[in-house]
Amino acid sequence: MAFSRPEASGSTSLASAGIAILGGAQVSLTLLEKAVDGTNIPFVKGVAGAALEVIKIVKAIQTNREECTNLVERCTSLLVVILGSLTGKTEDAIPDHLRRGVERLTVNFQEVRAELRIIDTRTKKWRAVLYHLDNGDRLKGCSEKLQWAMEEFQVTVKVDSCLKDLERHEELRRGQEKIQESQITLQMGQVAIQEGQVTLQESQQELLKGQANIEESVMKGQKEVRDGLSVIQEAMKDQSTGHASSSLPSTVLPPDPQIFGRQEYIEKAVKLLGSTTGAKIAILGPGGMGKTSVALKVIHDALVVELFGDNRCWIPCEQATSVPLFIELVAKSLNLPSSSSNDRLADIIAFLKSSKLLYILLFDNFETPWDIEGQQSNVADVLTAIASIPTVSFIITMRGNQHPSSHTVNWTEPRLRSLTQLDLDAAEEAFLRISPDARGDPELRTLLQKLDCMPLAITLMAKLSEAGETVSDLLEQWKSERTRLLDQPGGDRRNSIEVSIKLSLDSRSVKGNPDAIRLLSVLAMLPAGASLVRLPDMCPSIAGWRAALRVLRGAALLYDSADKSRIQMLSPIQSYVLLHHPLGQESLEELRASYYKLAPSGKTMTQHPEYKEVAKELAKEETNMEAILMNALHDRDEDREAALTASLSYTIYLHHNQTRTEVITEAIRVGRAVNSSTLPHCLLWHAAILDRERRFDEAEPLFEEARDEFMKLGDQKFAASCSGFLGALFRGRGQYDKALGALQEARDTSLQLGDFEGAAWNLLDIGQIFYKKGEYKAACSTYEQARSEFVNFGDHFGSLYCLSVIGAALGRQGDHDAAQSALEEAILGFTEYGDLYNVAYILRDLGDTLKRAKNYSLSLIKFEEALAIFTQIATE
């Protein structure tokens, strides 16, 4: 209803515009802009400017014209009402509640403006087709928001009018009722006689005209005062709930969803409901795990339908931003009629207790009311009161891993475990239901694993695939964009992975712990999760890490590994935290130092007495170690030499156990850029790994570059080592003469420098040339000489290696017993070192020796043992 008001001077054109727009015509932007310029009140100019900006954006949108036209008309109507209500008033004359009404309108216009900007970005190319229906819905939503805003503002104006009436009759209400009536009669009669009209109205109703008798004037005046008080009380009630009763969301039970991979979980929940009267079930877990879908699947199960029939009630708690609104949502889901009762919860309890039927309530997204600041005990009282009714069962879905009100609600046992990610088969099925064209794509499972099989992430990614993106393109985009790829501007928890994760991070428990986000940022740096034993060493400056860890577990932002030894984080959450909560410099330096200590310089050589223990710890942290090293190497502010030294030490460990080269490749790039003295060592060990893989063409230039770099540094010893490596490489290619020349040159240089260890290794490699040429006797003689040299300066590792090749050469000469003895001794020695590669190779040589001795059964056993170790190495 439109409210009449006195027209201020100079407002004739505005009033005409209002009549025209309310009659269905459009008002030109020029006229509205002139009207806006006519007011000097800053906050009025603010709301009017926001409204004009909304109109301009809508006019620019090229799609959904019908909805756009409706929205322009709605917006213009509201603008006319605002300006008409405030025209002629000074800023001081506008009361606080009316000022707040204008400020709320400004927020409404800003929200609509943000929504329209999202729509505007979708009107280009294929997005216009893809989002046509959704854009229409959004435009309708904007129109409804403005309609509600207009009604709310009109109520505010009505309250303002009533307050003025109350002020006018303040003296009347102080006296006795009869005196008050006489005074009202006298005053209203005088007003009727002198002015011919009375401005006692509800909001902006048209002025009552004509003279009325004194009794009618008094009665109408009293009614208007009572109505005004009622409006004020209702406005105060709406303010306390945050919504008008008409704005409550629908509580109609959503349809039965289609989900994948949760059948066993659903069956357990249904069994609990079927076997326990008044069951109380909580479906917990991280955001985006599909808790709502699982709960709806349970409540639509045939057995549950048979038990509860139409008494299955859905309470969408996401909208319950206050305790009164939460209670009103419960009442609405039960179809309770409106009540003037001051205790709505008592109405609910009385209704449920009086019913002879079984009820089941689904409190969906219960974390919203549970996290209302300072109101948790009140929300707990509501839940406890409902839980006390034996004929009422309920299910809650809630972010986190902790049951609410555990001390007052008797949760049905056994409690359901928190929902986790889908298995890979179910994740693939869920993806293909949305994007069937991706079936058979060889990279689909890799993409799903990158998402940690998180249901919401899968759904959003599948929609991108359905819109035409290939799985391969999505994989590449995920590497660079991470969670931003799955973010929809203006989206909510159901269609934006970033919004969903942010809700968990904004929970009361997480925000209430000063160390929680910082610890989460530390753990986000570790893709393989963190060892609980090592965690204190990773973040020594976070004194309250234990309490923070409990909070993050409770919020389901972290979870324990199957053996409880590590704390882990889902990949989408990790990506979001890295993007929006990067680790501070102090914590980053602490974390890097912790991992640098895992690969101390020199101790990653197999001959070092502490190698076995170092290798054992590194084996558990390889994925994290590489992530930390790569991060440090990319950081221009990091101590590059420390990062290069740690990368080199880690690569030496990999040379004995794995053949990955990503870290050392990046270290070489950085070493060249900063002209580091560590560069030649990095080149040497990278080449050694390539040589071990028989990638000779790639290794040769790196050995040569390393030799040249060592020469620049004046380090002839390591330059000679590079020559020795080149000789071994030539031997591997079958270039025996070239190999022999390079090795002999390297040995001579080493002897001149007093590097007897290097000279012994060169001699060993010369023996390998004889072995390759089939000259086993010469090979044995050379190996024996090299072993003697290793023994002389106490190199047990070199001595063992010589023993292993002596055994192989003896076997080739037919001396099987001596060969077996030498090889078994070498196996024991390398096993003590933890050098699996050499153990596997020597077992293979032992199997070959036993085969030549025709001991086929034992030979087969040794070959199988060698194969098992090679397989273990390949799969680690």
Side-chain angles (χ1 to χ4, degrees):
M1 176 184 294
F3 299 99
S4 62
R5 61 185 181 281
E7 298 271 345
S9 175
S11 64
T12 304
S13 60
L14 184 60
S16 301
I19 295 170
I21 189 63
L22 294 174
Q26 284 192 334
V27 177
S28 70
L29 280 174
T30 303
L31 180 58
L32 290 173
E33 288 170 343
K34 287 182 178 179
V36 171
D37 291 338
T39 178
N40 295 318
I41 303 173
F43 61 87
V44 176
K45 271 186 174 292
V47 68
L52 287 174
E53 190 173 350
V54 167
I55 293 172
K56 291 176 182 178
I57 295 173
V58 175
K59 286 180 174 291
I61 295 174
Q62 300 300 314
T63 60
N64 305 89
R65 296 311 303 163
E66 181 180 352
E67 292 87 349
C68 287
T69 301
N70 292 337
L71 183 55
V72 168
E73 292 183 357
R74 187 84 68 190
C75 189
T76 309
S77 299
L78 183 52
L79 183 55
V80 169
V81 170
I82 297 167
L83 294 176
S85 300
L86 302 175
T87 299
K89 290 182 172 66
T90 64
E91 184 174 359
D92 294 338
I94 298 176
D96 289 342
H97 66 274
L98 196 55
R99 183 193 300 261
R100 288 194 296 270
V102 174
E103 291 171 350
R104 286 196 297 273
L105 282 175
T106 305
V107 173
N108 284 324
F109 275 120
Q110 289 171 346
E111 291 175 351
V112 170
R113 179 179 61 194
E115 189 79 0
L116 291 173
R117 284 177 175 166
I118 295 168
I119 296 170
D120 190 38
T121 62
R122 297 171 165 181
T123 59
K124 301 175 179 62
K125 300 181 180 179
W126 58 270
R127 290 176 176 265
V129 178
L130 180 64
Y131 291 105
H132 179 76
L133 293 177
D134 185 61
N135 286 348
D137 291 340
R138 286 175 178 268
L139 287 166
K140 289 177 183 176
C142 291
S143 185
E144 291 171 0
K145 180 186 284 290
L146 291 181
Q147 175 62 27
W148 181 84
M150 179 183 287
E151 294 173 0
E152 182 186 39
F153 185 71
Q154 287 173 333
V155 168
T156 304
V157 173
K158 181 178 178 181
V159 170
D160 183 49
S161 176
C162 291
L163 284 172
K164 289 180 179 178
D165 288 339
L166 288 173
E167 291 172 1
R168 187 177 294 113
H169 294 285
E170 184 176 358
E171 293 297 327
L172 301 178
R173 289 186 287 107
R174 289 179 181 175
Q176 297 178 355
E177 183 175 356
K178 288 183 179 180
I179 297 174
Q180 181 185 24
E181 289 178 359
S182 298
Q183 289 175 335
I184 292 174
T185 300
L186 178 60
Q187 290 181 5
M188 295 307 298
Q190 290 173 345
V191 170
I193 293 169
Q194 295 173 5
E195 299 181 329
Q197 57 182 0
V198 178
T199 48
L200 295 175
Q201 53 185 6
E202 183 180 357
S203 188
Q204 291 182 320
Q205 292 179 342
E206 291 200 328
L207 293 172
L208 300 174
K209 297 179 181 180
Q211 294 182 347
N213 59 58
I214 295 175
E215 183 179 357
E216 183 180 1
S217 297
V218 171
M219 292 175 64
K220 288 185 178 179
Q222 289 175 334
K223 181 180 183 300
E224 292 298 327
V225 171
R226 289 195 300 269
D227 288 346
L229 287 170
S230 175
V231 170
I232 293 170
Q233 291 169 354
E234 187 63 28
M236 292 173 65
K237 178 181 177 182
D238 290 345
Q239 185 177 10
S240 70
T241 62
H243 291 272
S245 60
S246 61
S247 68
L248 286 174
S250 170
T251 56
V252 175
L253 183 63
D256 189 3
Q258 184 178 10
I259 62 176
F260 303 92
R262 305 293 197 195
Q263 190 57 39
E264 183 181 350
Y265 193 99
I266 293 166
E267 289 174 356
K268 288 181 180 179
V270 170
K271 185 178 179 181
L272 289 174
L273 290 171
S275 60
T276 308
T277 302
K280 312 297 183 289
I281 297 174
I283 298 176
L284 307 174
M289 279 298 158
K291 297 181 292 297
T292 297
S293 295
V294 169
L296 288 172
K297 199 71 180 174
V298 170
I299 210 168
H300 280 291
D301 185 86
L303 177 60
V304 177
V305 173
E306 182 180 351
L307 279 172
F308 299 98
D310 292 334
N311 299 328
R312 293 169 295 132
C313 305
W314 181 58
I315 299 110
C317 299
E318 184 178 2
Q319 304 295 328
T321 53
S322 69
V323 177
L325 183 52
F326 173 52
I327 294 172
E328 195 59 43
L329 277 169
V330 178
K332 183 176 180 180
S333 73
L334 293 168
N335 293 319
L336 294 188
S338 299
S339 170
S340 60
S341 168
N342 292 326
D343 193 341
R344 196 63 165 148
L345 178 59
D347 295 342
I348 294 170
I349 300 304
F351 170 79
L352 291 172
K353 283 185 175 181
S354 65
S355 176
K356 297 180 181 180
L357 301 174
L358 296 177
Y359 274 83
I360 182 168
L361 311 183
L362 169 50
F363 295 97
D364 192 25
N365 293 311
F366 186 71
E367 68 274 1
T368 299
W370 188 249
D371 273 348
I372 298 172
E373 186 70 30
Q375 295 296 315
Q376 192 171 98
S377 61
N378 294 329
V379 175
D381 289 343
V382 175
L383 196 65
T384 302
I386 295 173
S388 68
I389 305 172
T391 55
V392 176
S393 298
F394 63 68
I395 302 171
I396 71 161
T397 69
M398 184 174 179
R399 288 166 183 255
N401 292 322
Q402 296 176 337
H403 287 66
S405 298
S406 290
H407 59 294
T408 57
V409 174
N410 186 22
W411 296 100
T412 303
E413 301 288 350
R415 299 184 184 186
L416 297 174
R417 60 177 174 79
S418 294
L419 277 179
T420 58
Q421 57 266 53
L422 298 172
D423 63 54
L424 195 54
D425 288 339
E428 184 175 30
E429 191 177 359
F431 189 100
L432 293 174
R433 179 179 65 85
I434 298 171
S435 181
D437 290 344
R439 189 176 300 279
D441 192 302
E443 293 186 291
L444 176 57
R445 289 196 161 220
T446 301
L447 176 62
L448 297 174
Q449 288 170 330
K450 293 290 184 184
L451 300 175
D452 259 345
C453 295
M454 186 180 190
L456 177 58
I458 292 167
T459 297
L460 298 177
M461 193 70 83
K463 287 181 178 178
L464 292 176
S465 174
E466 182 189 27
E469 300 278 3
T470 67
V471 173
S472 178
D473 287 343
L474 291 173
L475 261 174
E476 286 302 312
Q477 291 178 59
W478 176 256
K479 290 178 183 177
S480 59
E481 297 183 46
R482 296 292 180 176
T483 52
R484 285 177 297 191
L485 178 62
L486 304 180
D487 181 39
Q488 181 175 325
D492 57 26
R493 71 176 79 198
R494 292 176 294 275
N495 55 27
S496 170
I497 197 74
E498 293 218 333
V499 171
S500 178
I501 295 170
K502 186 177 185 298
L503 283 171
S504 294
L505 268 64
D506 287 345
S507 66
R508 188 170 56 86
S509 59
V510 174
K511 280 192 166 184
N513 186 292
D515 296 321
I517 295 296
R518 187 178 172 197
L519 179 61
L520 197 66
S521 298
V522 171
L523 297 174
M525 296 289 294
L526 307 173
S531 164
L532 290 171
V533 174
R534 295 196 64 248
L535 192 54
D537 186 59
M538 296 178 193
C539 49
S541 64
I542 304 180
W545 67 268
R546 289 182 177 85
L549 187 61
R550 285 194 296 272
V551 166
L552 295 171
R553 278 173 167 152
L557 289 164
L558 300 174
Y559 65 96
D560 291 303
S561 61
D563 62 1
K564 307 295 184 183
S565 66
R566 301 182 77 83
I567 194 74
Q568 295 178 292
M569 186 185 309
L570 290 171
S571 174
I573 297 176
Q574 178 197 20
S575 298
Y576 178 88
V577 174
L578 287 173
L579 186 63
H580 296 284
H581 298 278
L583 192 58
Q585 191 62 34
E586 179 187 7
S587 294
L588 185 59
E589 290 175 0
E590 290 175 349
L591 182 62
R592 286 172 177 167
S594 173
Y595 273 87
Y596 290 172
K597 287 190 295 186
L598 282 179
S601 181
K603 293 185 180 181
T604 53
M605 300 290 289
T606 52
Q607 56 267 46
H608 193 282
E610 296 182 34
Y611 168 78
K612 191 172 182 179
E613 192 60 34
V614 169
K616 181 180 177 182
E617 291 303 311
L618 272 175
K620 302 173 185 175
E621 296 290 340
E622 287 181 7
T623 301
N624 288 341
M625 186 73 175
E626 292 180 18
I628 295 297
L629 290 174
M630 293 295 278
N631 175 270
L633 290 169
H634 289 151
D635 188 352
R636 294 180 179 275
D637 296 328
E638 167 65 355
D639 179 354
R640 294 296 186 88
E641 284 302 324
L644 287 169
T645 300
S647 298
L648 175 62
S649 186
Y650 177 67
T651 298
I652 295 171
Y653 155 79
L654 287 180
H655 177 261
H656 303 302
N657 297 275
Q658 302 286 345
T659 54
R660 294 192 300 275
T661 59
E662 292 85 355
V663 170
I664 197 63
T665 299
E666 183 62 19
I668 289 171
R669 184 193 68 79
V670 172
R672 286 170 175 156
V674 301
N675 196 26
S676 169
S677 59
T678 310
L679 173 61
H681 295 278
C682 294
L683 290 165
L684 175 60
W685 282 100
H686 187 192
I689 290 177
L690 295 173
D691 180 68
R692 187 168 200 161
E693 292 184 303
R694 305 187 67 78
R695 293 160 61 182
F696 302 129
D697 290 344
E698 297 173 66
E700 182 178 356
L702 291 177
F703 278 134
E704 291 174 343
E705 184 182 357
R707 180 189 60 197
D708 295 343
E709 290 293 329
F710 280 124
M711 291 298 291
K712 289 178 185 177
L713 294 173
D715 193 333
Q716 294 184 1
K717 175 182 176 181
F718 272 102
S721 295
C722 292
S723 296
F725 278 115
L726 280 168
L729 183 148
F730 295 142
R731 182 196 68 220
R733 282 178 172 169
Q735 299 170 296
Y736 298 129
D737 292 341
K738 192 174 182 180
L740 189 60
L743 288 167
Q744 191 60 58
E745 179 185 348
R747 177 171 168 79
D748 291 344
T749 302
S750 295
L751 289 171
Q752 290 173 8
L753 296 171
D755 179 13
F756 301 113
E757 181 182 7
W761 281 106
N762 295 146
L763 186 60
L764 181 95
D765 283 331
I766 290 172
Q768 297 283 51
I769 294 175
F770 293 131
Y771 184 92
K772 286 285 187 181
K773 294 170 69 175
E775 300 174 10
Y776 302 118
K777 187 174 182 179
C780 265
S781 175
T782 307
Y783 292 151
E784 290 286 2
Q785 183 182 348
R787 188 184 183 203
S788 175
E789 293 182 9
F790 280 121
V791 170
N792 285 340
F793 53 78
D795 189 335
H796 183 55
F797 184 89
S799 172
L800 277 175
Y801 195 87
C802 288
L803 185 61
S804 69
V805 290
I806 288 169
L810 289 171
R812 290 285 180 169
Q813 293 181 75
D815 191 349
H816 301 131
D817 291 340
Q820 182 176 350
S821 176
L823 292 169
E824 288 176 344
E825 184 180 347
I827 289 171
L828 288 174
F830 281 115
T831 300
E832 290 179 0
Y833 275 116
D835 190 337
L836 295 181
Y837 263 110
N838 276 317
V839 169
Y841 278 115
I842 299 169
L843 279 168
R844 184 195 63 181
D845 288 341
L846 179 55
D848 184 65
T849 297
L850 292 168
K851 177 184 173 184
R852 292 177 183 280
K854 299 184 179 181
N855 188 345
Y856 299 117
S857 59
L858 187 55
S859 171
L860 179 60
I861 290 173
K862 298 306 175 184
F863 281 133
E864 288 175 343
E865 290 176 359
L867 179 61
I869 295 176
F870 280 126
T871 303
Q872 175 187 345
I873 293 170
T875 54
E876 285 181 348

